[in-house]
Amino acid sequence: MQDAGSTGQSDMTKYLLQVLLVSALTFLNSASAVEVSVVEGRFSGEKYISVTGRIEDGDLRKIVAVSPQALLESSGPLTLVLNSKGGRVSEAIKIGKWARELMVTVYVHGSTLYNPDTPRGKQIEDAAKKSQEQRFGNVPIRRDLKPSEYDLVSCYSACVLIFYGGVQRYTADNWDTRGKRPDGDVIPVIGLHRPYFEQSQFASLNPTEAKLAYKNLEKDVRGYLAEMGAPVSVSERMFSKASNQIDLVSDEEFRKLYQSRESFYDEWLIAKCGAMGPQAALTASEFFEYADLMKKPSAASATPQRLDELRLKIGRNNHRSLKCRSEATSQHQLRLLRQFESSAG
């Protein structure tokens, strides 16, 4: 967790954290509905579903509506990329359960802020010209300009519930390269606090009613997180922070609180398409031969052709398995989307 007043941070980092905290704590009064669109993905040929803004009732229908387009245009299965400071808990849970049923990948990928007029900024732009992965999330901002909340990615409160619905997950913090530090300044994308009711609604209840209502809300959220495989420590951290505060969790820390791939999904892919790696691609004798060549540079240099042959065999198996995994997941998603359309019609 990082707070705006933590020691050892640059002035720019403190400012960025203040921007995020103020915008998050005033988010309850925001009227900006979530925007859902199909965007360029992190890797070549991929298209993602971007979910940006406040989560409100009906947002799942928006996501479902663009899902066929995303599947058609993308080289891979459905991926949600999130940028939201929260919103309606019940709708976030619906979206998370839908993502789990369809076996959707979920990303929260922070922005890279840079000054295009500096050598470092030019290096970032040169790299971006060569690779879609390097372009993803780049935001050019000159050193003398302060970024707005819209330049920074966040996934707070109810957004975190959606994140845990994914069968594959990935987070990366915002990165401001414009500071004096060689490694730049990091601004977390993940923020936790208690779910809450609208203040006017909750204030109208008497203490007994408020206790019962919040107990039911807490039960729903804790139960959902447990169902999605989140460790108990996530729920504890979430409910220990008041709704008018934010527990900012660094990517380094948060990655210890989720599996990058759900176990059931990983085993389903292995059963469906086979495993990857040297042991899966090679016979037992070939594997020991490969291991020996990798451990002994002199032996590898003496028989480079043999090492290349084994590497080619491994690479072909990995490629076949990856293609199969992508197709199997996409077919599952398409089938369920068609069922959804039929039931809605």
Side-chain angles (χ1 to χ4, degrees):
M1 169 186 173
Q2 295 184 2
D3 294 317
S6 297
T7 59
Q9 296 170 336
S10 71
D11 291 340
M12 181 57 71
T13 301
K14 292 177 182 178
Y15 168 78
L16 293 173
L17 289 171
Q18 278 186 329
V19 167
L20 287 173
L21 288 169
V22 171
S23 64
L25 298 179
T26 58
F27 192 59
L28 180 62
N29 300 318
S30 171
S32 58
V34 77
E35 294 182 6
V36 178
S37 60
V38 178
V39 299
E40 186 180 66
R42 184 180 170 205
F43 300 105
S44 179
E46 291 185 342
K47 293 294 182 71
Y48 297 163
I49 299 175
S50 170
V51 180
T52 303
R54 182 181 175 86
I55 301 160
E56 295 288 3
D57 291 337
D59 286 342
L60 175 57
R61 289 195 297 271
K62 294 181 183 179
I63 295 171
V64 172
V66 302
S67 293
Q69 176 193 349
L71 263 181
L72 180 66
E73 296 181 0
S74 180
S75 60
L78 288 176
T79 297
L80 295 183
V81 56
L82 305 176
N83 185 6
S84 171
K85 293 183 176 64
R88 188 75 65 181
V89 168
S90 57
E91 190 70 11
I93 289 177
K94 286 180 184 178
I95 297 170
K97 288 184 174 181
W98 173 85
R100 177 57 58 90
E101 185 177 7
L102 266 76
M103 300 195 300
V104 173
T105 294
V106 180
Y107 281 178
V108 183
H109 195 290
S111 298
T112 298
L113 309 178
Y114 67 96
N115 183 348
D117 296 332
T118 63
R120 190 176 203 176
K122 288 181 171 57
Q123 286 180 348
I124 292 173
E125 290 191 333
D126 289 342
K129 294 175 183 177
K130 302 174 184 177
S131 165
Q132 183 168 321
E133 182 181 7
Q134 295 295 328
R135 287 196 300 275
F136 194 70
N138 287 353
V139 180
I141 299 179
R142 286 173 173 77
R143 186 183 301 277
D144 57 340
L145 296 178
K146 293 182 177 180
S148 72
E149 61 174 292
Y150 303 105
D151 296 319
L152 298 169
V153 172
S154 57
C155 184
Y156 297 167
S157 189
C159 176
V160 177
L161 301 180
I162 299 176
F163 176 79
Y164 272 103
V167 292
Q168 290 191 139
R169 313 178 186 96
Y170 175 83
T171 56
D173 284 335
N174 297 289
W175 182 41
D176 189 355
T177 67
R178 302 170 304 150
K180 296 180 180 179
R181 293 184 178 186
D183 295 332
D185 294 317
V186 172
I187 305 97
V189 294
I190 297 296
L192 304 175
H193 67 67
R194 294 178 202 137
Y196 54 86
F197 294 93
E198 292 184 7
Q199 289 185 353
S200 59
Q201 176 190 4
F202 204 57
S204 67
L205 304 178
N206 64 46
T208 302
E209 293 169 335
K211 177 182 177 181
L212 179 60
Y214 201 84
K215 184 178 181 180
N216 289 334
L217 175 62
E218 183 171 352
K219 180 182 177 182
D220 288 344
V221 172
R222 286 184 182 271
Y224 166 80
L225 285 171
E227 181 184 350
M228 296 298 111
V232 175
S233 57
V234 173
S235 298
E236 294 302 320
R237 286 188 69 161
M238 181 179 289
F239 281 95
S240 68
K241 207 69 172 178
S243 61
N244 63 339
Q245 299 175 324
I246 293 289
D247 180 0
L248 292 177
V249 188
S250 70
D251 182 52
E252 181 180 4
E253 183 179 4
F254 191 62
R255 289 192 184 193
K256 300 173 184 176
L257 301 177
Y258 70 87
Q259 283 184 287
S260 59
R261 179 182 292 159
E262 282 294 309
S263 299
F264 86 89
Y265 181 57
D266 196 32
E267 291 301 321
W268 183 78
L269 293 174
I270 292 172
K272 198 89 172 173
C273 303
M276 296 191 294
Q279 283 184 292
L282 306 175
T283 65
S285 60
E286 286 175 336
F287 175 74
F288 287 116
E289 181 185 4
Y290 173 77
D292 191 54
L293 289 172
M294 293 298 292
K295 289 178 182 178
K296 300 177 181 178
S298 58
S301 60
T303 56
Q305 185 176 352
R306 179 55 178 161
L307 182 59
D308 288 343
E309 289 174 355
L310 295 174
R311 283 173 171 168
L312 181 61
K313 191 173 182 180
I314 295 168
R316 284 175 175 170
N317 178 71
N318 288 348
H319 178 75
R320 179 202 58 78
S321 182
L322 283 172
K323 183 179 179 182
C324 172
R325 291 171 182 221
S326 178
E327 290 176 350
T329 304
S330 296
Q331 289 171 4
H332 167 77
Q333 293 171 345
L334 183 59
R335 179 174 58 81
L336 289 188
L337 285 172
R338 284 172 176 167
Q339 290 179 3
F340 187 90
E341 288 177 356
S342 299
S343 62

